[in-house]
């Protein structure tokens, strides 16, 4: 078969493969957005940890996050199994990630200021463990995308399907809590948080298991890529020497600052500044903003990206 015929064959998009991959997005989005939406409010307003201690905890978590991402990415790139590079990490991380979603809302010690340091230590440990297993799932799930969908046309169509499941994940993370938790800042609602943690754990497991069962495997042309992976130190040097990447970092930090702070402050801002006491309304307040983002991505930004390219579109959106 000629090269051009191979290209045509590879560029043919399969909706079955796209759906098989995209369902895994639900576990990814639901777990992380639940974390960003509820963890700060839970440990500050419900468990009663001082906001300064929470700040220290999140700073330590951020440093771990930066190292954790790089380490797992490096290990994943160098992995070689009969299931490919990414699949084993997704398989290993799914059940622990679901379990951690429950443990996030289960402090080991009675809530109150007298147990503040002990609960802070638990808070720090559990968010670090969450980040470990979430990164193991998310990074490898994301890395599968360009390895399964080769051409720009394939990636555009597959991304549309992925965003549809992302919207479902956002609804689970932002709207569903309002159905189970009557007051996000009331210590008396500890049991409701824990019950919701069980619900989220189940929601993370089910799409994840379906994804693991039906997801396409790594394409043959990528099976030898692990041999070409640079050494750990060389990877760091490559990143530091890349001027375009170094210029990109500050803008991306600003971007993720917005992503991180918006869901974290909405429960408390909505209640104590806007005077909204209905948790379902608070959930919808945040949920609509993220759902609309997913809708605009499909309706507005897709044709813009196709016309002027991802770089200019990204700069325009920033």
């Amino acid at each position: 078969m000629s090269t051009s015929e191979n290209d045509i064959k590879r560029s043919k998009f399969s909706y079955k493969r796209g759906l098989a991959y995209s369902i895994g997005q639900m576990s990814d989005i639901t777990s992380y957005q639940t974390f960003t939406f509820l963890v700060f409010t839970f440990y500050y307003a419900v468990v009663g940890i001082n906001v300064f201690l929470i700040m220290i905890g999140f700073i330590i978590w951020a440093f771990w996050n930066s190292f954790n991402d790089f380490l797992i990415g490096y290990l994943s790139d160098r992995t070689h199994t009969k299931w490919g590079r990414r699949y084993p990490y997704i398989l290993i991380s799914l059940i622990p990630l679901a379990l951690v979603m429950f443990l996030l809302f289960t402090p080991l010690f009675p809530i109150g200021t007298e147990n503040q340091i002990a609960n802070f230590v638990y808070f720090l440990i559990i968010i670090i463990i969450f980040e470990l297993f979430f990164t193991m799932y998310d990074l490898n799930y994301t890395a599968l995308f360009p390895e399964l969908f080769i051409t720009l046309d394939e990636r555009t169509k597959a991304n549309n399907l992925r965003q549809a499941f992302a919207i479902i994940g956002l609804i689970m993370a932002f709207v569903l809590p309002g159905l189970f938790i009557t007051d996000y800042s009331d210590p008396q609602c500890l049991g409701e948080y824990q019950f919701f943690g069980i619900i989220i754990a189940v929601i993370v497991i089910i799409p994840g298991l379906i994804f693991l069962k039906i997801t396409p495997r790594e394409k043959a042309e990528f099976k030898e890529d692990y041999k070409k992976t640079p050494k750990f130190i060389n990877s760091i040097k490559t990143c530091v020497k890349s001027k375009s990447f170094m210029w990109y970092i500050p803008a991306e930090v600003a971007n993720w600052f917005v992503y991180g702070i918006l869901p974290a402050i909405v429960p408390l801002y909505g209640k104590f500044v806007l005077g909204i006491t209905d948790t379902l309304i608070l959930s919808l307040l945040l949920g609509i903003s993220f759902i609309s983002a997913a809708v605009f991505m499909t309706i507005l930004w897709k044709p813009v990206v196709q016309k002027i390219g991802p770089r200019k579109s990204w700069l325009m959106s920033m």
Side-chain angles (χ1 to χ4, degrees):
M1 184 179 290
S2 66
T3 302
S4 59
E5 288 174 328
N6 274 322
D7 291 338
I8 292 171
K9 184 177 180 180
R10 286 170 53 186
S11 65
K12 186 178 180 181
F13 179 72
S14 167
Y15 279 97
K16 181 179 179 180
R17 187 169 75 248
L19 285 169
Y21 172 82
S22 299
I23 195 170
Q25 186 74 43
M26 282 181 60
S27 300
D28 188 292
I29 292 291
T30 301
S31 57
Y32 190 77
Q33 296 302 339
T34 296
F35 175 84
T36 57
F37 181 35
L38 293 178
V39 164
F40 175 81
T41 298
F42 177 74
Y43 281 96
Y44 170 67
V46 177
V47 180
I49 299 177
N50 182 277
V51 70
F52 181 74
L53 289 175
I54 293 179
M55 178 188 73
I56 292 175
F58 272 115
I59 289 174
I60 295 172
W61 168 79
F63 277 104
W64 162 247
N65 190 2
S66 62
F67 175 77
N68 174 53
D69 286 13
F70 193 86
L71 177 62
I72 291 179
Y74 173 77
L75 293 174
S76 175
D77 284 343
R78 296 178 69 86
T79 296
H80 177 60
T81 72
K82 64 179 180 180
W83 301 285
R85 293 183 293 176
R86 318 302 183 186
Y87 186 88
Y89 290 96
I90 299 172
L91 177 64
I92 292 170
S93 63
L94 180 63
I95 301 300
L97 177 61
L99 179 60
V100 169
M101 295 312 299
F102 168 70
L103 295 177
L104 280 170
F105 306 111
T106 311
L108 291 180
F109 305 95
I111 59 178
T113 55
E114 65 274 10
N115 297 300
Q116 187 167 163
I117 298 301
N119 279 328
F120 165 71
V121 173
Y122 177 80
F123 158 73
L124 180 59
I125 292 172
I126 201 64
I127 64 174
I128 285 175
I129 293 174
F130 165 82
E131 188 58 39
L132 170 66
F133 289 113
F134 172 76
T135 299
M136 194 178 295
Y137 181 95
D138 171 73
L139 186 147
N140 287 282
Y141 173 78
T142 304
L144 269 178
F145 184 80
E147 296 174 4
L148 293 177
F149 308 102
I150 307 298
T151 65
L152 180 61
D153 179 65
E154 278 189 304
R155 291 174 183 177
T156 301
K157 291 177 179 177
N159 192 56
N160 288 340
L161 292 174
R162 186 167 65 160
Q163 293 309 319
F165 283 98
I167 292 174
I168 298 173
L170 289 169
I171 292 173
M172 297 296 182
F174 295 141
V175 179
L176 206 59
L179 301 177
F180 295 94
I181 304 170
T182 54
D183 190 334
Y184 291 134
S185 59
D186 187 353
Q188 298 300 318
C189 294
L190 174 63
E192 296 176 0
Y193 268 99
Q194 293 171 340
F195 181 71
F196 177 69
I198 295 173
I199 299 295
I200 288 297
V202 173
I203 291 173
V204 169
I205 287 176
I206 292 176
L209 290 177
I210 295 173
F211 166 76
L212 288 169
K213 177 68 176 177
I214 66 176
T215 185
R217 296 298 183 260
E218 185 179 35
K219 291 189 174 182
E221 52 262 50
F222 296 104
K223 288 185 177 179
E224 300 299 317
D225 280 9
Y226 74 97
K227 296 178 181 178
K228 307 172 187 175
T229 303
K231 294 182 179 180
F232 191 80
I233 297 300
N234 291 340
S235 297
I236 296 176
K237 289 180 180 178
T238 301
C239 293
V240 173
K241 289 180 179 180
S242 173
K243 291 183 179 180
S244 58
F245 180 70
M246 297 306 292
W247 277 111
Y248 169 78
I249 288 176
E252 185 66 353
V253 168
N255 211 7
W256 277 98
F257 174 78
V258 176
Y259 293 159
I261 200 171
L262 184 61
I265 67 172
V266 161
L268 297 176
Y269 178 79
K271 179 178 179 179
F272 296 108
V273 178
L274 301 181
I276 301 173
T277 57
D278 189 326
T279 55
L280 184 58
I281 299 299
L282 283 174
S283 296
L284 289 172
L285 179 67
L286 182 61
I288 288 172
S289 65
F290 281 86
I291 292 170
S292 65
V295 173
F296 282 129
M297 186 179 297
T298 303
I299 297 175
L300 173 62
W301 291 109
K302 176 188 171 183
V304 172
V305 171
Q306 290 176 328
K307 186 170 183 63
I308 66 174
R311 180 180 179 275
K312 291 181 179 180
S313 301
W314 186 78
L315 290 171
M316 186 187 300
S317 70
M318 291 292 286

